[in-house]
Amino acid sequence: MRLGERGGWERSESRYCGVETDFSADVPSLLSFHISTGGFDYVLAPLMNPSYRPSLVEGNGSETQALPVSGSDLVLSPSQWSSHVVGICFSFVDSEDEVLRMDSETTLKQEIAWATHLSLQACLLPTPKGTSCANYARCVNQILQGLTNLQVVYEVPLVKSDGDSMGSEGLTDSWELWNSFRLLCEHDSKLSVALDVMSTLPSENSLGRWMGESVRAAILSTDSFLTNARGYPCLSKRHQKLIAGFFDHTVQVVVSGKPVHNLPKASDSNTEGSQRHPLRSYLDYVAYLFQKMEPLPEQERIELGYRDFLQAPLQPLMDNLEAQTYETFERDSTKYIQYQRAVVKALVDRVPDEKASELTTVLMVVGAGRGPLVRASLQAAEETGRKIKVYAVEKNPNAVVTLHNLVKMEGWEGIVTIISCDMRFWSASEKADILVSELLGSFGDNELSPECLDGVQRFLKPDGISIPSSYTSFIQPVTASKLYNDVKAHKDLAHFETAYVVKLHSVAKLAPSQSVFTFTHPNFSTKTNNQRYKKLHFNLPSDSGSALVHGLAGYFDSVLYKDVHLGIEPTTATPNMFSWFPIFFPLRKPVVVHPDSPLEVHFWRCCGSSKVWYEWSVSSPTPSPMHNTNGRSYWVGL
């Protein structure tokens, strides 16, 4: 039974819970017991008898012998194999014993071939026995090259010991084991990881790294459960938080091990009687954890399809926006409430109460679109009792049609003048007291707000007000395995040198964000130069362990006027605002960063006669290539 169906969640938001089993030659009975009786959604089961060794059957008519698999493919329908069975492989590929190593390579390839034949969705690979995994990774990488749909899931214990102390099986940090294997397998998108959740968890910072990795499953051993006051299994608060985080990242949960809780005798009197599955109480608790999660807010539901989906940023100067894009932005009421608050404060500062009926404030909305800022400005004037004259400047002729209809419909003919022109080339008949614009991009200046506002400030009075008055870009290093693989799938340089707008979800934010570039308006400097350079140092928390940086997440924060701000920088983000997703700058080669070795990032904003672009690189702990030199792959056209 889907965990989600128990809590009234939508089918698309369901999560599933599997159970790890021993080898069985009778797969239909195995499924009947664990799925029909136990209520689990699927089983993790060995595909071949663990005692099988190819070298022991060679020379004994091996060519006529069938592989010791768990039954014929005909015992289940293809859909049952695909939906209800995940294979478990056995491997000793890195054994010092040559015969055992060769046997293991042969068996592993046979197991994967059989899993592919059955159309299984995934196969679980065991954790390597030693510290070296090179030969194991080589064998798996060979297998990955021939796969199309099957996911290979690498199992590692969730361990990160403090200092030099050793954790499970001599490991100090299992992430290092996963990272070595993943890098040796060339970051293959068909390779993911399953985490064995232990009774003791690493620090929050250490756990956070995994949220950016391709974690497919969390294997919960019955030993990791506590016992509640009624004698039933439960998890610690930290374990509950971890599992909730996994659910939010569509990670499936697997229950493993023998029952270790002696349930109260009262449970024997239930209607299921002797047929109750021995691990059912563990499944019920996992389902309870999912049930008690808060349903997603409406806006988050709308944005589900955009999670970790790479989009090219807008080119607002080169291209005219479509009606659908305007409509999406106009639905963001929070943004326009903030703009209205800023205009209210500016009008009050501009015109004292005693002169409110005498003075008329000239307000120019540059980049008026279909009129939401015009409306917000007029509402601010009404709220403050100030008289205003509005110029709505818009270059998109299609949006100008809408503006004319809006003015006529609202009866604003005597107040609003529409100018169909690129703001940079307009010759205004009078100067403005207040200049209002909505030109910010996900990185603040990436939609050329500096260049546009520099071009229009010539018709702002010397003591005039610009809304926004300033904006600052921010970046932070992230682990983002999915985003990296999506970029890598294009198999070219250009996509690694392009910035993407993306609703970040399956990412690990490795260090607090830092400010990059700040622009202030109006800027009456005689030598206006919008080129910028910044060097930044990021330090991982000391208890996090090492991490792999796939790229840089970018944000902005803007001061509209005085204490009214707008932004998406995580620590100061404006609540309930959805007009901007963060921006993502990928790295061609991911960089391993250790807590004792800071990440040194260099960032440039470059300007040419017809375009503006960014360049970025990492110089420490290991140098990366320079990205997007001369704007060869990605730029914003003037």
Side-chain angles (χ1 to χ4, degrees), residues 400-584:
V400 168
V401 173
T402 309
L403 278 173
H404 277 291
N405 288 328
L406 179 67
V407 168
K408 188 180 295 184
M409 182 176 66
E410 296 288 349
W412 295 340
E413 289 92 338
I415 309 170
V416 178
T417 302
I418 298 171
I419 307 295
S420 180
C421 180
D422 187 320
M423 67 182 79
R424 295 170 296 171
F425 311 123
W426 177 45
S427 297
S429 58
E430 59 182 319
K431 294 209 169 187
D433 297 288
I434 301 173
L435 202 60
V436 184
S437 63
E438 188 182 0
L439 305 168
L440 298 171
S442 297
F443 202 48
D445 57 78
N446 64 298
E447 292 185 10
L448 306 188
S449 179
E451 284 70 26
C452 291
L453 294 182
D454 287 348
V456 298
Q457 72 178 23
R458 67 185 185 277
F459 43 77
L460 181 65
K461 293 177 181 177
D463 61 344
I465 296 168
S466 173
I467 299 176
S469 60
S470 68
Y471 38 90
T472 301
S473 52
F474 294 81
I475 60 170
Q476 71 180 151
V478 293
T479 295
S481 186
K482 181 186 183 303
L483 298 183
Y484 175 81
N485 278 327
D486 287 350
V487 175
K488 185 166 74 79
H490 291 282
K491 299 180 180 179
D492 63 17
L493 173 66
H495 283 83
F496 272 115
E497 297 189 333
T498 298
Y500 300 92
V501 172
V502 56
K503 181 171 175 58
L504 300 176
H505 184 66
S506 294
V507 301
K509 298 171 181 177
L510 302 176
S513 66
Q514 295 183 28
S515 60
V516 190
F517 309 132
T518 297
F519 291 89
T520 302
H521 301 286
N523 175 18
F524 290 116
S525 169
T526 54
K527 292 185 178 180
T528 302
N529 184 355
N530 292 325
Q531 298 203 123
R532 299 284 192 277
Y533 163 68
K534 188 73 174 282
K535 179 169 71 173
L536 306 104
H537 293 88
F538 295 94
N539 292 284
L540 271 61
S542 58
D543 62 344
S544 71
S546 302
L548 192 65
V549 179
H550 291 108
L552 306 164
Y555 318 95
F556 80 92
D557 187 77
S558 169
V559 176
L560 294 181
Y561 184 66
K562 290 192 169 177
D563 61 343
V564 183
H565 98 104
L566 199 67
I568 59 170
E569 195 281 320
T571 60
T572 60
T574 307
N576 304 315
M577 189 177 67
F578 55 84
S579 284
W580 295 276
F581 292 153
I583 200 164
F584 176 67

Side-chain angles (χ1 to χ4, degrees), residues 171-411:
L171 286 173
T172 56
D173 187 357
S174 56
W175 180 88
E176 300 277 7
L177 195 63
W178 156 244
N179 189 52
S180 296
F181 197 84
R182 170 253 306 276
L183 293 177
L184 287 167
C185 290
E186 304 176 89
H187 230 297
D188 197 294
S189 60
K190 296 183 291 294
L191 177 68
S192 51
V193 64
L195 297 174
D196 278 329
V197 180
M198 307 295 187
S199 56
T200 303
L201 293 178
S203 68
E204 291 296 320
N205 287 324
S206 178
L207 291 174
R209 297 175 298 173
W210 292 102
M211 295 305 168
E213 299 287 6
S214 51
V215 181
R216 190 175 178 91
I219 301 175
L220 270 175
S221 168
T222 52
D223 293 334
S224 62
F225 285 81
L226 304 175
T227 306
N228 67 14
R230 296 173 56 231
Y232 286 88
C234 64
L235 290 171
S236 70
K237 294 290 186 185
R238 291 196 64 214
H239 280 80
Q240 292 180 42
K241 182 180 177 183
L242 177 66
I243 298 303
F246 283 148
F247 280 144
D248 189 43
H249 286 73
T250 64
V251 174
Q252 309 298 347
V253 172
V254 176
V255 176
S256 172
K258 306 297 182 185
V260 294
H261 290 73
N262 295 317
L263 298 180
K265 292 293 182 183
S267 67
D268 294 338
S269 63
N270 66 53
T271 55
E272 295 176 68
S274 60
Q275 287 299 308
R276 182 174 173 85
H277 192 283
L279 296 178
R280 182 58 185 256
S281 56
Y282 299 92
L283 171 63
D284 289 342
Y285 184 76
V286 172
Y288 158 73
L289 291 182
F290 184 72
Q291 278 181 280
K292 75 172 190 174
M293 289 178 65
E294 290 292 328
L296 289 174
E298 182 61 29
Q299 188 56 41
E300 281 290 321
R301 270 178 203 277
I302 294 171
E303 295 173 0
L304 269 177
Y306 293 100
R307 284 182 172 180
D308 300 316
F309 178 74
L310 300 171
Q311 301 177 78
L314 295 174
Q315 292 268 10
L317 282 186
M318 290 176 59
D319 306 327
N320 288 325
L321 301 184
E322 298 176 353
Q324 187 175 356
T325 306
Y326 282 121
E327 185 178 356
T328 300
F329 292 147
E330 289 164 7
R331 285 205 314 266
D332 193 347
S333 58
T334 300
K335 174 175 61 176
Y336 296 111
I337 288 170
Q338 291 298 91
Y339 265 100
Q340 184 173 328
R341 287 183 58 215
V343 175
V344 164
K345 287 177 179 282
L347 286 172
V348 169
D349 285 353
R350 199 78 188 163
V351 180
D353 289 340
E354 60 272 17
K355 294 189 177 181
S357 60
E358 304 170 21
L359 297 179
T360 299
T361 301
V362 177
L363 184 146
M364 294 180 180
V365 178
V366 289
R370 301 197 307 182
L373 284 184
V374 175
R375 187 183 297 278
S377 300
L378 291 171
Q379 288 173 343
E382 184 178 351
E383 181 181 336
T384 58
R386 267 52 173 184
K387 296 166 64 178
I388 66 170
K389 178 180 181 181
V390 178
Y391 288 91
V393 186
E394 175 55 48
K395 74 171 181 64
N396 183 352
N398 304 307
V400 168
V401 173
T402 309
L403 278 173
H404 277 291
N405 288 328
L406 179 67
V407 168
K408 188 180 295 184
M409 182 176 66
E410 296 288 349

Side-chain angles (χ1 to χ4, degrees), residues 14-296:
S14 295
R15 300 294 180 267
Y16 301 89
C17 187
V19 60
E20 189 171 352
T21 70
D22 295 327
F23 175 80
S24 172
D26 186 359
V27 178
S29 297
L30 190 75
L31 263 59
S32 175
F33 178 62
H34 290 293
I35 296 177
S36 301
T37 302
F40 289 94
D41 299 301
Y42 58 93
V43 298
L44 268 76
L47 297 177
M48 287 191 184
N49 192 317
S51 63
Y52 168 62
R53 293 289 182 272
S55 61
L56 300 180
V57 297
E58 286 181 5
N60 296 310
S62 58
E63 66 277 358
T64 63
Q65 293 187 8
L67 291 172
V69 296
S70 54
S72 164
D73 55 352
L74 298 176
V75 298
L76 298 177
S77 69
S79 63
Q80 286 177 311
W81 281 113
S82 177
S83 302
H84 299 308
V85 179
V86 172
I88 296 178
C89 300
F90 292 94
S91 176
F92 301 91
V93 176
D94 278 301
S95 171
E96 297 293 327
D97 185 314
E98 181 72 11
V99 174
L100 182 57
R101 182 176 68 79
M102 296 301 292
D103 268 0
S104 189
E105 281 193 28
T106 301
T107 305
L108 183 59
K109 291 177 180 178
Q110 289 172 336
E111 286 172 319
I112 296 295
W114 180 243
T116 303
H117 174 71
L118 297 175
S119 299
L120 300 192
Q121 291 189 37
C123 269
L124 186 70
L125 299 184
T127 308
K129 301 300 180 185
T131 55
S132 170
C133 62
N135 204 57
Y136 190 5
R138 169 187 165 273
C139 183
V140 171
N141 203 30
Q142 289 178 342
I143 291 169
L144 288 168
Q145 305 309 307
L147 297 180
T148 52
N149 298 316
L150 183 75
Q151 278 280 320
V152 174
V153 187
Y154 182 68
E155 182 180 4
V156 296
L158 186 53
V159 172
K160 166 66 174 70
S161 303
D162 296 328
D164 298 324
S165 61
M166 303 293 279
S168 171
E169 301 180 5
L171 286 173
T172 56
D173 187 357
S174 56
W175 180 88
E176 300 277 7
L177 195 63
W178 156 244
N179 189 52
S180 296
F181 197 84
R182 170 253 306 276
L183 293 177
L184 287 167
C185 290
E186 304 176 89
H187 230 297
D188 197 294
S189 60
K190 296 183 291 294
L191 177 68
S192 51
V193 64
L195 297 174
D196 278 329
V197 180
M198 307 295 187
S199 56
T200 303
L201 293 178
S203 68
E204 291 296 320
N205 287 324
S206 178
L207 291 174
R209 297 175 298 173
W210 292 102
M211 295 305 168
E213 299 287 6
S214 51
V215 181
R216 190 175 178 91
I219 301 175
L220 270 175
S221 168
T222 52
D223 293 334
S224 62
F225 285 81
L226 304 175
T227 306
N228 67 14
R230 296 173 56 231
Y232 286 88
C234 64
L235 290 171
S236 70
K237 294 290 186 185
R238 291 196 64 214
H239 280 80
Q240 292 180 42
K241 182 180 177 183
L242 177 66
I243 298 303
F246 283 148
F247 280 144
D248 189 43
H249 286 73
T250 64
V251 174
Q252 309 298 347
V253 172
V254 176
V255 176
S256 172
K258 306 297 182 185
V260 294
H261 290 73
N262 295 317
L263 298 180
K265 292 293 182 183
S267 67
D268 294 338
S269 63
N270 66 53
T271 55
E272 295 176 68
S274 60
Q275 287 299 308
R276 182 174 173 85
H277 192 283
L279 296 178
R280 182 58 185 256
S281 56
Y282 299 92
L283 171 63
D284 289 342
Y285 184 76
V286 172
Y288 158 73
L289 291 182
F290 184 72
Q291 278 181 280
K292 75 172 190 174
M293 289 178 65
E294 290 292 328
L296 289 174

